[in-house]
Amino acid sequence: MLVELTDWLAAHQQWVGLAIFLISFTESLAIAGLVVPGVFLLFAVSAMAASGGMALGTAVIWAFSGAVLGDLISFFLGRHFHHNIRGFGPFRRNPQWIDGGERFFRRYGWLSVVLGRFIGPIRPVIPLVAGMFDMPVWRFVAINLLSALAWAPAYLIPGYTAGRAAQWPVPPLFWNQALSLLIGAGILIGCCLYVLKLQKRWSSLVAAACCLLSLLTLSMNQRALQIFDRTLVDSADYLRLPGAGEVQILTPEILLVAAPIIAALLLARRWNHAVLHLCALSLALFMAWAIALSGSASINALLTTILCALVVNCSRSQHFWVRSAWLLYLLPLLLMIASNVLEHRLLEPLEMLRSLLVGVSASLLACWVVERVSPMTPLATPLRWLIASWPFLAAAWVFW
């Protein structure tokens, strides 16, 4: 049935947008989202949207609208029926669905609405549970809108990129090299998460060492990966995300985005948090000079450092997996930067990867140094959200 559905949509491209809306709606709806393979369908339909010429922004709007509406209906069902909803057929036969959602909601509170969007088994249940526990409507609506803004592109971009990639005139060795880099990235992320989850004093240092080892490996194999590098540069038009095409990000002025963050931390007397930013920027600048990064690559490394240090500051004293979820915060910004860099051919892709590794390594090393001198305490909630939203406000000003 799924094959027939995708075949029909491929032949009737005018219905792809509505299909994205309905799949996102069903994926977020209580009960239905537990049985519908929404991730697979979104991947397939977003690939069709790309091959049919639909703009990524349009596809994201369809997905965003469906996700918001599905969560709202689930929330109001829970708010209306409360615990009586346990008597409904599917939940009566499978009480573990509600039980798992309740445990997750009790543990993470309002943050569970954000995290729940990205965790398959509980995704359709969390809004229902939030309604059962009488979460304030205004708070749920605000969190629902903001989390859907992150969820929609995160779930559509892989399929959309695959759809665009199907049209690339790429040489055969490109996919072999891309797969090698993808496997290497997976191993690096897995190793870093493993050592950071141990939460030892040396965890940040070991994670930084893993990044530096990856940087060394990438530098040594840069010539062997030239096909991957050149193909992405030649295919920049296929990888472009929405935004102002005439704007170039990697200029020295973009680094001023760090000034309000550091100023806010200093005004709040969060000395070690401000020192983390300054120390990370100093280390990134030194490493960029040591490995002879170009000017644009150095700016990209410093920009990555600012974002990573911000995530470290905002996630202090939270549960490990909640801190890890802050990585999702970086994804939209990094995608916009990468798209802009490729579009204007400011950097070759491998040079951009090297600069990213420099930024992450510098942030991890700075975190290890600062924590050894004076452990960082959690930021006050208003200050945390103020500095966390600043890069997005700056990006909106630059692009639009």
Side-chain angles (χ1 to χ4, degrees):
M1 184 177 67
L2 293 177
V3 173
E4 291 176 358
L5 175 62
T6 53
D7 287 345
W8 187 86
L9 285 172
H12 300 82
Q13 288 284 334
Q14 67 271 24
W15 297 104
V16 168
L18 181 60
I20 292 174
F21 172 85
L22 292 175
I23 294 168
S24 302
F25 171 75
T26 308
E27 172 81 352
S28 304
L29 194 62
I31 303 176
L34 293 167
V35 295
V36 172
V39 176
F40 164 77
L41 288 174
L42 279 175
F43 185 92
V45 176
S46 58
M48 290 179 201
S51 61
M54 178 182 288
L56 177 59
T58 303
V60 167
I61 291 172
W62 280 110
F64 170 81
S65 304
V68 168
L69 183 60
D71 270 13
L72 281 176
I73 291 177
S74 299
F75 174 76
F76 283 109
L77 284 174
R79 196 174 178 85
H80 178 74
F81 291 103
H82 288 93
H83 287 276
N84 292 332
I85 205 163
R86 288 179 174 275
F88 287 14
F91 292 125
R92 187 173 62 250
R93 292 190 296 270
N94 300 277
Q96 70 274 11
W97 292 349
I98 295 289
D99 293 340
E102 281 193 15
R103 287 193 298 270
F104 196 80
F105 187 82
R106 290 181 187 276
R107 185 169 187 177
Y108 298 112
W110 65 267
L111 194 58
S112 63
V113 180
V114 180
L115 299 176
R117 280 201 183 275
F118 300 91
I119 302 175
I122 62 170
R123 185 184 304 117
V125 177
I126 289 296
L128 192 73
V129 172
M132 290 168 56
F133 281 83
D134 288 322
M135 185 177 186
V137 175
W138 67 268
R139 181 178 298 174
F140 179 83
V141 170
I143 297 171
N144 182 26
L145 291 172
L146 292 174
S147 61
L149 280 175
W151 177 87
Y155 272 66
L156 286 187
I157 285 175
Y160 193 91
T161 303
R164 295 295 295 270
Q167 305 172 16
W168 292 358
V170 297
L173 286 177
F174 170 80
W175 293 114
N176 294 336
Q177 295 185 0
L179 182 60
S180 300
L181 287 169
L182 187 62
I183 292 173
I187 293 172
L188 174 62
I189 293 171
C191 290
C192 289
L193 288 177
Y194 176 77
V195 296
L196 291 173
K197 191 174 187 299
L198 296 177
Q199 300 189 52
K200 303 292 186 181
R201 295 188 66 183
W202 44 261
S203 292
S204 298
L205 180 61
V206 174
C210 291
C211 292
L212 290 173
L213 180 61
S214 299
L215 177 61
L216 176 62
T217 304
L218 186 61
S219 300
M220 292 173 61
N221 290 279
Q222 198 160 0
R223 181 172 296 180
L225 295 168
Q226 281 184 345
I227 292 177
F228 173 85
D229 225 17
R230 183 47 46 194
T231 302
L232 284 186
V233 170
D234 294 340
S235 304
D237 291 340
Y238 292 99
L239 301 171
R240 182 179 178 274
L241 296 178
E246 67 277 5
V247 176
Q248 293 188 19
I249 291 181
L250 296 187
T251 59
E253 293 78 12
I254 197 66
L255 298 178
L256 293 175
V257 74
I261 298 172
I262 297 173
L265 293 171
L266 291 174
L267 289 173
R269 298 179 181 273
R270 295 290 187 165
W271 313 118
N272 49 355
H273 290 266
V275 169
L276 172 71
H277 274 273
L278 295 173
C279 181
L281 287 169
S282 301
L283 286 169
L285 196 59
F286 172 76
M287 285 192 280
W289 169 80
I291 64 173
L293 285 181
S294 64
S296 295
S298 299
I299 294 172
N300 193 51
L302 293 171
L303 194 57
T304 304
T305 303
I306 294 168
L307 296 176
C308 291
L310 187 150
V311 166
V312 172
N313 278 331
C314 290
S315 63
R316 302 315 296 166
S317 297
Q318 294 179 338
H319 187 272
F320 173 76
W321 291 114
V322 178
R323 296 205 307 272
S324 301
W326 273 90
L327 296 175
L328 298 171
Y329 158 90
L330 292 176
L331 187 61
L333 291 169
L334 293 178
L335 285 172
M336 284 191 293
I337 294 170
S339 174
N340 187 267
V341 168
L342 287 174
E343 179 184 2
H344 293 284
R345 292 173 169 78
L346 300 174
L347 285 176
E348 292 187 347
L350 292 181
E351 189 74 355
M352 185 164 56
L353 288 177
R354 293 175 71 214
S355 65
L356 286 174
L357 288 170
V358 166
V360 175
S361 303
S363 301
L364 290 167
L365 283 172
C367 182
W368 177 72
V369 170
V370 172
E371 285 282 358
R372 286 182 65 85
V373 176
S374 175
M376 290 183 291
T377 55
L379 296 175
T381 301
L383 178 61
R384 177 191 302 163
W385 291 111
L386 174 65
I387 65 173
S389 61
W390 170 243
F392 282 96
L393 296 174
W397 176 265
V398 169
F399 278 107
W400 289 284

